[in-house]
Every structure is written in structure tokens, then in C-alpha cells.
């Protein structure tokens, strides 16, 4: 399975309550539940800290083969 994830999907509320995206390692886990993780990986997000506006990208296309 492959998918593309826009960095806006990784935004969170910073200390000043603005939605931001920060560089760093992101752990990704997939499983039947939070107690049954079957696949784990990590990606490294690079670039400057960025403020995400209300027009953020939320579409995440995926395909399976």
C-alpha cells in the first residue's frame, strides 16, 4: 500500500495556540487497535517551523495493490 501525506496533516496547536508543523521524526503505527500494533515505521520531516492556516490540505490519497 502506498499513500501520500501532506505535512499539514501533522499540524498541532503550539504554545501560542496557532496550528504549526515542526521538523523532526514522526512515528507511524498501523494495527487493529492501539494495543495491537502490527506495523511501525518513521519518517523525518524537514524544513522550517510553519504556521498552518485554515486553508490547510486535508486530502490524503491512498492506493493498494
Amino acid at each position: 500500500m502506498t499513500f501520500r501525506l501532506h505535512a499539514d496533516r501533522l499540524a498541532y496547536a503550539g504554545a501560542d495556540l496557532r496550528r504549526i508543523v515542526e521538523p523532526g521524526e514522526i512515528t507511524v503505527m498501523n494495527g487493529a487497535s492501539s494495543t495491537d500494533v502490527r506495523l511501525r515505521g518513521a519518517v523525518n520531516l524537514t524544513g522550517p517551523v510553519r504556521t498552518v492556516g485554515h486553508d490547510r490540505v486535508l486530502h490524503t490519497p491512498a492506493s493498494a495493490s
Side-chain angles (χ1 to χ4, degrees):
M1 173 180 265
T2 61
F3 66 95
R4 298 181 73 142
L5 182 66
H6 195 282
D8 287 1
R9 287 293 221 169
L10 303 173
Y12 67 95
D16 59 2
L17 301 181
R18 290 184 303 150
R19 294 190 67 74
I20 61 171
V21 176
E22 284 187 321
E25 185 174 275
I26 307 294
T27 301
V28 180
M29 295 180 277
N30 188 349
S33 71
S34 61
T35 60
D36 185 14
V37 175
R38 299 176 187 189
L39 184 62
R40 181 182 311 250
V43 295
N44 193 29
L45 203 59
T46 61
V49 174
R50 184 171 60 84
T51 300
V52 178
H54 293 286
D55 59 344
R56 65 189 182 266
V57 176
L58 298 177
H59 181 69
T60 306
S63 63
S65 56

